[in-house]
Amino acid sequence: MVQVCLNGPRGAADGAVVPLTPEALAESAAAAVAAGATDIHVHPKTPCGGDSLSPRVLATTLEAIRARVSVPVGVTTGAWAEPDPVARLERIRSWTVLPDHASVNWHEPGAEELAAALIDRGVGVEAGIWSGTDGAARFAKSPLGPGVLRVLAEVTDTSPDTAQDTARALLSDLGTAPHGRPVLLHGEDGGAWPVLRLAGRLGLATRIGLEDTLLLPDGEPALSNARLVAAGLVQYGSARRSS
């Protein structure tokens, strides 16, 4: 599985290649799927470019993407989109169009309640376990663990020299199959490509896209999510064969 992360919290300042509007996200998603992506992660945006959990914003984005692709589509529930845990939970409960899955960062306040609400609504939960946080320890004790869709092992170390070591430490903290759920391993910025290659060697699911990096493996600017996916599949395959 290679998930494409279309935009993340990036905005207009990160360049015109980052899709922000529902139409641009749908077009980018379609191209990424054509390039080989099997799953989509997106941050729905307000007209001003901020991440939003609004039911209206979410519905418009999901409907636009689903009109172009047939793969699962997931969204963020990051605290930056709605810092108040109670308000964030109310947003989730007010969604009128549901994503296939949603990421929940386990170190954030209210994560357990948020995940439970999503599961109750039939939305798959990606348990986001960030390196450098207590997310792994919290998740290990969570009664919701066996019910999540998968674990997102998110390596926040952006150094290309140390990101793989940080990833291995995070996987060690999680165990090889936490609660028996599959693991998706990914990095960000300078750590994105080294961690993707590690995922290939370990045979884990991974993701790539303009949320995680704006650069191709050779350091050239990525002009689209599709190009990142195509490069990611090559990198992943090469790493897998050499393992």
Side-chain angles (χ1 to χ4, degrees):
M1 171 189 167
V2 175
Q3 182 183 79
V4 60
C5 46
L6 295 175
N7 56 358
R10 299 191 192 274
D14 294 295
V17 298
V18 179
L20 302 177
T21 67
E23 295 76 14
L25 287 164
E27 182 177 353
S28 187
V33 170
T38 57
D39 192 276
I40 292 167
H41 174 74
V42 63
H43 290 212
K45 303 284 187 179
T46 65
C48 296
D51 286 5
S52 176
L53 303 180
S54 157
R56 180 184 58 79
V57 173
L58 193 86
T60 302
T61 300
L62 289 175
E63 288 168 350
I65 293 173
R66 284 173 171 159
R68 298 289 303 275
V69 303
S70 58
V71 303
V73 183
V75 301
T76 183
T77 63
W80 57 86
E82 176 48 75
D84 180 6
V86 175
R88 189 159 68 253
L89 189 59
E90 290 175 353
R91 283 291 203 185
I92 301 310
R93 289 173 172 162
S94 72
W95 286 351
T96 55
V97 176
L98 297 178
D100 295 287
H101 50 77
S103 61
V104 176
N105 299 322
W106 228 259
H107 64 281
E108 293 178 348
E112 294 266 347
E113 295 81 1
L114 192 64
L118 288 164
I119 291 171
D120 285 346
R121 300 206 66 189
V123 177
V125 170
E126 296 181 309
I129 312 299
W130 292 23
S131 64
T133 73
D134 64 352
R138 289 188 182 191
F139 185 70
K141 297 182 290 186
S142 174
L144 298 177
V148 306
L149 177 65
R150 59 180 155 259
V151 171
L152 300 183
E154 308 201 31
V155 180
T156 59
D157 181 351
T158 59
S159 169
D161 298 323
T162 59
Q164 287 194 11
D165 290 338
T166 301
R168 291 185 184 278
L170 176 58
L171 292 173
S172 177
D173 288 343
L174 281 169
T176 55
H179 293 293
R181 307 317 300 147
V183 174
L184 186 159
L185 176 67
H186 77 95
E188 60 184 51
D189 292 325
W193 292 111
V195 173
L196 181 144
R197 289 189 287 270
L198 177 61
R201 288 195 293 275
L202 298 177
L204 297 175
T206 193
R207 79 177 201 187
I208 198 68
L210 291 167
E211 172 173 355
D212 288 345
T213 181
L214 298 174
L215 301 176
L216 294 168
D218 62 4
E220 290 297 311
L223 299 181
S224 68
N225 278 301
R227 292 197 180 188
L228 286 170
V229 169
L233 288 169
V234 171
Q235 295 276 311
Y236 187 96
S238 296
R240 188 73 181 134
R241 289 188 294 273
S242 66
S243 64

